[in-house]
Amino acid sequence: MRACLSQTYLIVFQASIHIKSLCLILFLQISFHWIGISDGYGQNNRLPSSDFQARFEKAMAFQDARQIDTSQVLLSQLVQELEAAGLGESRLALEAELCMAENIIKGEEDLAINQLLSISEKALKQGEWKILAQTHINLALVYELLLVKDKCKQQLDQAFSLIMTHKLRSLFPLYNIRKSSYFRILDQHPDSAYFFAGEAIRTSEDRITEEKATAYFLIAVLDQDASLPETIGNLNKSAAIYLSLNIEQGYAAMLRNISNKYQEAGELDSAKHYCQLALNVLVQCKPPYTVDYFFTKSILFWGMADYFRQKGQVDSTWKYVQLYDNITKELNVRLNASAVAETEAKFYDEKKSQQILEQERKIKDERQGRNAALGGLSAALLFSFILGYFYLQITKANKKIKEQSESLSQLDEAKSRFFANISHELRTPLTLILGPLQSLSNETNLSQNQQRLLAMASKSGEQLQELINEILTLRKLTTGKLRLEVQPTALYSFLYSILIQFNSLADIKSIDFSFEIELRKGVQANIDQGKVRQILNNLLSNAFKYTPLRGKVRCHVQLTDGELHITVTDSGEGIHPDDQPYIFDRFFQSKRPEKLIEGGTGIGLALCKEYVNLMEGSIELNSKLGRGSSFMLVLPLEVLDEKVEEDMLPDVAARGHEEAETSLTDQQPVPTSELPKVLLVEDNIELATYLELILAKDYQVTMAANGQEAWEHLAKEVEENNHSTYDLVLSDLMMPLMDGYQLAEKLKSQDQTRHTPLIMLTARADIQDKLQALRIGVDDYILKPFNEAELKLKMNNLLQNYHARLATSMKEVEAQNEKEDVPQISKEDQGWLAEFEKYVRENISDSRMDVPMLAEKFAMSESTLLRQLKRLTGLSPKKYLVEVKLQKARQLLEAKTYNSISRVAYESGYADPKSFSRAFKRKFGKLPSVLIES
């Protein structure tokens, strides 16, 4: 794919060179006929000069916002009206024309040269020296793009002469940037290029300009002897300027360059960090998106894929390869559309110019008319050749894209076939599991606990069987072998029996669930009960899975004009707009890098979509991030005559409430104050019930459905007792709302909970997942399926070690309290601490500053720094940095320095605004947005 993208760029670049050469020949043939044509504008319709100035400033505002097309339209209208008012050579008109010419320099070099030469003649005539100097600098840029060395140097020399003669100091940074670029690209003299880049920074003084950002970038590129920190430092300075100027794509480009430098140095984690930052910045860019936006994003996706490839993480590699492929397709489409549009625009512009020339030649004499006709024919043939050339190249590019698409389709087909084959193989051992379980369940001498364990195993086996059937059903759908099995169905009781079963799940998860069925009880219709039940179960299960504690889930059913309308709405976290177009794709996992690790197969919603299509219905998603999701299902039905149903609803309802009461009774263990307290965090209800059952004899078990609910339990304990009363936390890794990693980070970052043992019980067997958990501070990592005896033994050992450490710690505290002499801070310590605080405060905005960096800066080991800072401030280096960062953020917010939380986070040394907001709320009890809005 990467090779295809490079080949596409090469094709477009070669085509553009041919077009420029041919257009230049045509221009030389017809340019002599343009002399003497008047503009045709009168001297009426004068407007006040203040009105012209206001319109110019409006156009420039659009240009600063990177809305170039709108700016060009406004500037063109302004120039025309200034010419009509007799002000075509005024300073305002020249500035407007200069802005228009600057906007087309890259991509329309020939037209830009003509416009800039016209502006230079007017500026020279009117004595507008600054505009004339800017015009020469822009002409130098055009000739640099065209690789015309002598003319580029000539324009730069003329600009320098004007700057020195008329003391135009403000143009020095721009001139130095162009001079540096000239030596770097055309003269191949890196030392001179480096010198002028430094001059651009020096002459910029304290001004924050785009030229200064470019200069830091050039220095980073040109200084081959610089160390990696020096190069990264210059790139960081460039990125900071782009950020302050709100130029997102420039900021992202610098982050991408930093990532590349780290990758070249073999520092893959740092490379991935800056690559992720660049992607986060690009996500915040607002449309319309440029070709450069898609090109930068494609490079970043490839970099992430290469990182995970080197780390051996196949799933993540595949995910970013897919993202790279999608963005490459979009880029190719835009490049093709841009090339065709540019060709057509040039064709029509030249055709219009040719018509004007023909009219002028007819007025002069018949001979010039014949020449004009000949020129028109040449132009038509020329552009026919250009269009034919472009058509050929675009056809080749589209053929390459089609081959890639077919290759990806084959890979997808192979994956589906693989899952189907595996599912067939799993059926035999699954049968040998469910059969003996059923036989054991029929025994009469089993205890109540044994019966519950067998019931759990059977239910889980049935769920596995359902998953296997879903995979095989997808395979049947792909091959066109699945058919509807409709039968007369009493709609009200059928739907009621499905919906009432979720009451018990709602009670267990403390979710407000309600449903409304607007149907007459006698209505019957032909439907495929199994498929409708599976669709509804899937939609409701997802709603409950992604809805937090005390959230809401609603279901509304209505029959209108032979169509069954079902709406399932939740108050969960919602689905990101980038993920919504793919939510019904099979095997889809979220594209968002910050998405929680939640598990799932990506089969359920894909199967729902296929079923709906099979029934000739429709299903739509309406979701807002942070506000929940709503699925709207419409199924056409063959409604039959009404028939009186049996009065079965009270029995169904009774069964539903009985299940809910039984589940609630099972969930509440009999508390025993003498037993250790264990917080069990597991989103699978059956597995949580099983764990509670096997641990109930030895522990007081409190259950939480996800990390967020668990953290609320812990926070409440800390608030009431100033410490956590739980002796151990046993947590899953993949959960909605807050996963196991996030829970572990919170648990290990608080003084009141950091010493509580934490066991991660998970199905993720990858060594990288285990290492990440252990780095956070997880005490043990146990894989599913687990051995009951092993789990209990590890829990017991951790609890013994925990209580032993707790007893030792209490003795040390008592011994410390017995000491009477408290040493005072010496002058040397005071001086060191002042120097340390000054360095930290001056560099606090650098998100890379950490304990190893500080230790290296002050020439001591990390352990020595820890002891030194702990002795003088009572804080560890990590806590000290957090304290300084949050105090800096509070000062910026209270002073209203910035109106953006992201900007405050970056200035305070946080790379992630979300983690900054959480840390700020923990420290000051309120979110930073409250201070901004107050």
Side-chain angles (χ1 to χ4, degrees), residues 198-218:
E199 284 297 288
I201 296 174
R202 184 184 65 81
T203 54
S204 294
E205 299 175 346
D206 294 331
R207 295 191 302 274
I208 303 299
T209 62
E210 192 169 353
E211 290 80 20
K212 195 169 186 178
T214 305
Y216 279 119
F217 166 73
L218 288 173

Side-chain angles (χ1 to χ4, degrees), residues 195-405:
F195 170 79
F196 280 100
E199 284 297 288
I201 296 174
R202 184 184 65 81
T203 54
S204 294
E205 299 175 346
D206 294 331
R207 295 191 302 274
I208 303 299
T209 62
E210 192 169 353
E211 290 80 20
K212 195 169 186 178
T214 305
Y216 279 119
F217 166 73
L218 288 173
I219 287 179
V221 171
L222 293 167
D223 192 357
Q224 300 297 326
D225 297 329
S227 62
L228 179 63
E230 291 174 341
T231 302
I232 297 300
N234 285 316
L235 291 174
N236 266 322
K237 291 176 182 178
S238 179
I241 295 174
Y242 280 122
L243 179 61
S244 64
L245 294 174
N246 292 322
I247 303 177
E248 292 91 352
Q249 291 194 32
Y251 180 51
M254 289 305 107
L255 295 176
R256 185 198 72 202
N257 286 319
I258 295 174
S259 175
N260 291 342
K261 290 296 181 182
Y262 276 122
Q263 189 171 19
E264 291 171 4
E267 297 183 21
L268 297 182
D269 291 334
S270 297
K272 182 235 182 185
H273 170 74
Y274 279 95
C275 192
Q276 188 63 68
L277 284 181
L279 282 173
N280 293 341
V281 172
L282 289 179
V283 167
Q284 299 174 6
C285 294
K286 297 179 180 179
Y289 300 124
T290 63
V291 172
D292 288 339
Y293 168 86
F294 289 95
F295 180 68
T296 301
K297 208 167 185 180
S298 68
I299 292 177
L300 292 171
F301 281 149
W302 186 262
M304 293 293 288
D306 188 59
Y307 167 81
F308 286 112
R309 179 188 63 77
Q310 295 188 57
K311 290 291 185 178
Q313 299 184 24
V314 178
D315 289 345
S316 297
T317 303
W318 174 253
K319 167 187 171 182
Y320 280 99
V321 167
Q322 288 182 310
L323 289 172
Y324 171 80
D325 185 66
N326 291 337
I327 204 75
T328 301
K329 291 179 181 177
E330 179 69 17
L331 179 60
N332 286 336
V333 169
R334 289 177 176 266
L335 284 172
N336 293 341
S338 176
V340 172
E342 181 180 355
T343 303
E344 291 178 349
K346 289 189 176 182
F347 176 82
Y348 289 118
D349 286 345
E350 293 293 341
K351 186 176 179 181
K352 184 177 179 181
S353 300
Q354 190 61 42
Q355 290 173 351
I356 295 173
L357 290 173
E358 289 173 359
Q359 292 175 1
E360 292 294 323
R361 291 183 181 119
K362 285 179 181 179
I363 295 174
K364 292 183 178 181
D365 52 48
E366 184 178 356
R367 180 182 176 185
Q368 289 181 341
R370 288 196 301 268
N371 291 337
L374 181 60
L377 179 61
S378 301
L381 292 173
L382 174 64
F383 281 102
S384 296
F385 170 76
I386 293 173
L387 288 174
Y389 180 81
F390 253 110
Y391 176 78
L392 179 62
Q393 300 304 325
I394 292 172
T395 301
K396 290 181 179 178
N398 288 336
K399 182 180 178 181
K400 192 72 174 179
I401 294 172
K402 184 179 179 181
E403 291 174 355
Q404 283 186 332
S405 177

Side-chain angles (χ1 to χ4, degrees), residues 53-69:
Q53 184 66 34
R55 292 171 61 185
F56 176 76
E57 292 173 357
K58 181 179 180 181
M60 297 309 296
F62 279 106
Q63 182 157 315
D64 291 339
R66 294 302 188 271
Q67 299 182 27
I68 304 301
D69 292 341

Side-chain angles (χ1 to χ4, degrees), residues 630-872:
S630 180
F631 287 86
M632 288 76 71
L633 174 67
V634 179
L635 297 176
L637 299 180
E638 180 187 355
V639 180
L640 306 176
D641 294 336
E642 292 191 10
K643 180 180 179 181
V644 179
E645 297 182 359
E646 297 180 4
D647 189 13
M648 61 175 291
L649 296 183
D651 293 337
V652 174
R655 282 199 304 273
H657 289 299
E658 181 181 350
E659 290 175 3
E661 290 173 5
T662 302
S663 299
L664 286 173
T665 303
D666 293 342
Q667 187 183 2
Q668 301 293 335
V670 178
T672 305
S673 58
E674 297 180 358
L675 296 178
K677 290 182 65 177
V678 172
L679 179 58
L680 174 61
V681 193
E682 173 61 61
D683 63 327
N684 185 287
I685 296 175
E686 289 78 11
L687 180 57
T689 306
Y690 167 65
L691 286 168
E692 180 195 18
L693 187 64
I694 65 175
L695 297 177
K697 293 182 181 179
D698 302 312
Y699 304 97
Q700 300 178 62
V701 181
T702 302
M703 296 171 60
N706 52 65
Q708 180 174 318
E709 186 178 336
W711 183 248
E712 290 177 359
H713 279 297
L714 291 166
K716 184 177 179 182
E717 288 281 324
V718 171
E719 182 179 356
E720 292 177 354
N721 306 300
N722 199 30
H723 68 280
S724 171
T725 61
Y726 290 103
D727 296 282
L728 184 141
V729 177
L730 179 63
S731 174
D732 190 12
L733 179 59
M734 298 184 292
M735 298 178 291
L737 303 182
M738 181 187 293
D739 61 31
Y741 287 139
Q742 293 178 325
L743 175 62
E745 288 176 351
K746 281 180 169 290
L747 190 74
K748 296 302 181 180
S749 63
Q750 301 292 324
D751 289 336
Q752 297 88 344
T753 58
R754 73 170 67 249
H755 302 295
T756 304
L758 172 61
I759 296 178
M760 201 71 80
L761 188 63
T762 177
R764 294 182 70 94
D766 192 284
I767 186 61
Q768 297 299 328
D769 294 313
K770 183 175 182 179
L771 292 175
Q772 182 177 350
L774 295 176
R775 278 194 293 267
I776 294 173
V778 171
D779 296 274
D780 211 333
Y781 193 90
I782 301 177
L783 293 177
K784 300 175 184 176
F786 58 88
N787 181 278
E788 178 182 337
E790 179 187 4
L791 174 64
K792 288 183 176 180
L793 183 61
K794 288 189 174 183
M795 290 176 63
N796 184 57
N797 290 340
L798 278 175
L799 285 172
Q800 288 181 357
N801 294 336
Y802 168 62
H803 289 300
R805 290 197 308 270
L806 191 63
T808 303
S809 176
M810 292 298 295
K811 291 180 181 179
E812 291 177 354
V813 170
E814 292 175 0
Q816 183 69 23
N817 291 337
E818 292 176 358
K819 294 182 179 180
E820 297 180 355
D821 297 331
V822 179
Q824 301 294 325
I825 298 179
S826 65
K827 290 184 178 181
E828 291 183 358
D829 287 339
Q830 290 177 1
W832 181 90
L833 186 59
E835 182 182 355
F836 183 82
E837 290 178 348
K838 179 182 178 182
Y839 178 80
V840 170
R841 294 184 186 280
E842 288 178 351
N843 297 274
I844 196 64
S845 60
D846 187 354
S847 60
R848 298 177 299 109
M849 186 168 63
D850 54 10
V851 176
M853 181 185 293
L854 290 172
E856 182 180 357
K857 169 66 178 176
F858 288 88
M860 57 179 63
S861 66
E862 293 181 31
S863 58
T864 303
L865 178 62
L866 172 65
R867 291 193 299 271
Q868 177 87 332
L869 206 59
K870 191 78 172 178
R871 179 174 62 85
L872 298 178

Side-chain angles (χ1 to χ4, degrees), residues 18-62:
H18 281 288
I19 292 172
K20 292 170 186 174
S21 301
L22 293 170
C23 288
L24 182 59
I25 294 170
L26 177 63
F27 169 73
L28 293 174
Q29 289 178 347
I30 66 176
S31 60
F32 294 102
H33 300 288
W34 290 0
I35 302 174
I37 299 177
S38 64
D39 54 18
Y41 288 112
Q43 300 296 322
N44 54 354
N45 297 328
R46 287 181 175 271
L47 295 176
S49 133
S50 58
D51 182 71
F52 284 132
Q53 184 66 34
R55 292 171 61 185
F56 176 76
E57 292 173 357
K58 181 179 180 181
M60 297 309 296
F62 279 106

Side-chain angles (χ1 to χ4, degrees), residues 128-146:
E128 294 291 348
W129 309 119
K130 184 174 182 180
I131 294 177
L132 181 58
Q134 287 177 289
T135 305
H136 285 305
I137 293 174
N138 282 305
L139 280 168
L141 173 58
V142 178
Y143 289 124
E144 178 185 309
L145 294 173
L146 296 174

Side-chain angles (χ1 to χ4, degrees), residues 12 124-125 321 329 428 479 520 541 722 763 819 829 842 895:
V12 175
L124 180 61
K125 179 179 178 182
V321 167
K329 291 179 181 177
T428 299
T479 57
R520 295 189 305 276
S541 297
N722 199 30
K819 294 182 179 180
D829 287 339
E842 288 178 351

Side-chain angles (χ1 to χ4, degrees), residues 153-222:
K153 184 178 184 302
Q154 180 185 3
Q155 296 297 329
L156 287 173
D157 292 342
Q158 291 178 6
F160 180 77
S161 177
L162 287 168
I163 291 172
M164 296 300 293
T165 302
H166 300 283
K167 300 179 180 179
L168 305 173
R169 295 183 59 188
S170 62
L171 295 182
F172 263 124
L174 181 59
Y175 165 79
N176 287 322
I177 287 295
R178 293 271 55 83
K179 195 73 172 178
S180 176
S181 187
Y182 164 80
F183 280 111
R184 184 170 69 96
I185 296 174
L186 299 181
D187 201 42
Q188 301 294 315
H189 201 292
D191 291 339
S192 298
Y194 180 88
F195 170 79
F196 280 100
E199 284 297 288
I201 296 174
R202 184 184 65 81
T203 54
S204 294
E205 299 175 346
D206 294 331
R207 295 191 302 274
I208 303 299
T209 62
E210 192 169 353
E211 290 80 20
K212 195 169 186 178
T214 305
Y216 279 119
F217 166 73
L218 288 173
I219 287 179
V221 171
L222 293 167

